[in-house]
Amino acid sequence: MIRLIVFFSLFFSGLAAEENANKNDILYTNLIGAAVITTWGLVNWDYAENPPHREDERWFQRTTDSGGADKLGHLYASYLVGSGLSHLYENWGYNRDDAALYGSLSSFFLMTYMEVGDAFSSDLGFSYEDFLMNTLGSFSSYLFYVYPELSKRVDFRIEYIPSFKRDDIVTEYERMKYLVAFKAEGFDFVSNPYLRYTELHLGYYTRNYHEGFSSESERVVYLGIGINLSRIARQNSYAKTASFLNYYQLPYTYLPVEKDMNR
């Protein structure tokens, strides 16, 4: 379900050329998003065909359908949507604080609207775990946008190598890793010029959950030492690439130490 809202966010971010917008534009943006979600839900997710119900998805327990990877997917998607819409609203003429506030609220509204819609689906159901992760992601987008010094120190990223075998690429958890990157350049006590290009990763991913939990399923946490590719891109005047690399982790650019929590 996350694929639609991520597409919506990236699509509208690409339209960020108009300035001096008013609050009606934000309202219309959210209404369009809600309309798209409603249409897609009615066609593909059986919205409005069942009485509302709740689904207990049990967070990161080993016997869940995806080992909790979907929870980090909700967190990351709402964070990405909030960040993208904040950027859009700032390009429309809002000051940074207002853009961050409206962007995070838009993310919260759209993701909550989708979760409420799930409550009427026979295959899904309202998940309070998803709701809480959506809330955390939306709030995080506000903090990172309002406080640039925070985003200089920490990134929330996804690593993804698509298999090109699935239509729903955004929930292809078998090919994803989620991580927090702590960037040395943001900490004054790191003075060595070479060390300032390094970063520390704390990550999580699951494998062999594509058909639900089995004896082969893995939930993996890891620590890694990586290279701050965003810093390198920024110093070489590739501003858009540098921004992209604050959200995406390029594979094979770090050394991990891993622990399988299912063993």
Side-chain angles (χ1 to χ4, degrees), residues 60-262:
F60 294 86
Q61 293 184 30
R62 64 194 297 265
T63 56
T64 60
D65 289 340
S66 63
D70 61 313
K71 300 295 161 280
L72 293 180
H74 277 268
L75 174 64
Y76 180 80
S78 54
Y79 170 74
L80 181 65
V81 169
S83 299
L85 291 179
S86 296
H87 176 74
L88 172 63
Y89 297 159
E90 187 174 12
N91 274 272
W92 277 353
Y94 291 94
N95 64 57
R96 189 176 187 89
D97 288 356
D98 286 346
L101 176 62
Y102 296 139
S104 62
L105 289 176
S106 294
S107 174
F108 177 76
F109 164 71
L110 291 168
M111 298 299 283
T112 300
Y113 182 83
M114 183 178 295
E115 198 61 41
V116 171
D118 288 352
F120 295 86
S121 169
S122 58
D123 295 330
L124 300 172
F126 181 90
S127 165
Y128 76 89
E129 299 98 333
D130 291 347
F131 173 78
L132 291 175
M133 296 303 271
N134 292 339
T135 302
L136 179 59
S138 300
F139 179 67
S140 297
S141 74
Y142 173 80
L143 289 180
F144 276 72
Y145 209 85
V146 169
Y147 299 106
E149 64 272 19
L150 179 60
S151 60
K152 187 177 180 180
R153 296 174 179 174
V154 182
D155 286 343
F156 183 34
R157 303 177 190 158
I158 186 173
E159 177 185 329
Y160 176 43
I161 306 175
S163 66
F164 303 106
K165 296 179 180 179
R166 290 184 52 177
D167 294 332
D168 189 1
I169 63 172
V170 178
T171 58
E172 193 177 20
Y173 301 119
E174 294 292 307
R175 311 284 295 183
M176 296 178 181
K177 298 179 181 180
Y178 295 96
L179 65 137
V180 178
F182 300 91
K183 300 177 287 188
E185 68 170 338
F187 297 91
D188 293 337
F189 65 83
V190 181
S191 57
N192 184 289
Y194 298 105
L195 288 179
R196 290 180 68 83
Y197 284 92
T198 65
E199 50 191 32
L200 178 67
H201 297 173
L202 174 61
Y204 181 81
Y205 66 90
T206 63
R207 295 293 182 265
N208 301 316
Y209 274 93
H210 52 280
E211 296 182 356
F213 172 74
S214 72
S215 59
E216 301 299 318
S217 297
E218 300 174 286
R219 296 174 302 152
V220 180
V221 295
Y222 67 91
L223 284 173
I225 299 293
I227 302 171
N228 190 338
L229 298 175
S230 178
R231 175 182 171 90
I232 295 174
R234 186 172 64 253
Q235 291 182 339
N236 287 275
S237 301
Y238 294 103
K240 292 183 179 180
T241 301
S243 179
F244 173 74
L245 291 172
N246 288 330
Y247 300 92
Y248 177 74
Q249 176 62 45
L250 194 66
Y252 311 118
T253 57
Y254 59 93
L255 297 175
V257 177
E258 301 181 335
K259 169 63 177 178
D260 184 355
M261 298 173 63
N262 283 0

